[in-house]
Amino acid sequence: QVQLVASGGGLVQAGGSLRLSCAASGRTFSTYAMAWFRQAPGKEREFVAAITRSGVNTYYANYANSVKDRFTISRDGAKNTVYLQMNSLKPEDTAVYYCAVLRSFPSRSDQDVDYWGQGTQVTVSS
């Protein structure tokens, strides 16, 4: 099974940037699609972005409309790590961000998650 450890969260001013990382253990990491979800206080967990598995010539990414053109998901198979580059951050982006292993792409549903990371807090101030 895959173990996921998310990091890189913190406090940033509106308009700033952060890059989240999710380090995975397990030799089969590259065979999984990966995703980021987030959950703000008092709200349901929502989809943020997903990326196809390694082993293909081209990666494909899928984004929530709320983050499209601001966030970029990527992965580094050699480091067993998936990233979420977050630019032009807004206070509404404040949430706990979770990385996850998806069993299908381009699913946006947390019901398609096989493994969850522990989450990392992102706080965007006005």
Side-chain angles (χ1 to χ4, degrees):
Q1 62 181 35
V2 177
Q3 302 289 329
L4 304 173
V5 179
S7 62
L11 175 64
V12 65
Q13 292 185 340
S17 299
L18 285 173
R19 189 174 77 157
L20 306 184
S21 299
C22 179
S25 62
R27 67 186 186 190
T28 61
F29 168 77
S30 63
T31 70
Y32 295 103
M34 299 293 297
W36 289 92
F37 292 79
R38 67 186 183 186
Q39 187 169 24
K43 298 181 65 177
E44 296 293 320
R45 184 155 51 193
E46 65 177 347
F47 172 82
V48 177
I51 188 168
T52 51
R53 66 176 179 85
S54 300
V56 297
N57 291 330
T58 303
Y59 287 125
Y60 295 92
N62 187 34
Y63 298 96
N65 288 336
S66 60
V67 306
K68 187 177 181 181
D69 300 324
R70 297 189 298 120
F71 292 9
T72 302
I73 188 171
S74 62
R75 67 191 300 164
D76 184 338
K79 297 181 179 180
N80 290 338
T81 302
V82 62
Y83 304 96
L84 185 68
Q85 178 66 49
M86 305 185 295
N87 299 325
S88 301
L89 283 162
K90 305 174 181 179
E92 62 191 354
D93 295 318
T94 295
V96 177
Y97 284 70
Y98 300 90
C99 62
V101 174
L102 289 177
R103 59 177 174 265
S104 65
F105 182 93
S107 175
R108 293 169 175 253
S109 174
D110 59 9
Q111 296 188 51
D112 289 319
V113 171
D114 284 334
Y115 303 98
W116 291 100
Q118 89 287 356
T120 185
Q121 176 71 50
V122 172
T123 302
V124 184
S125 63
S126 301

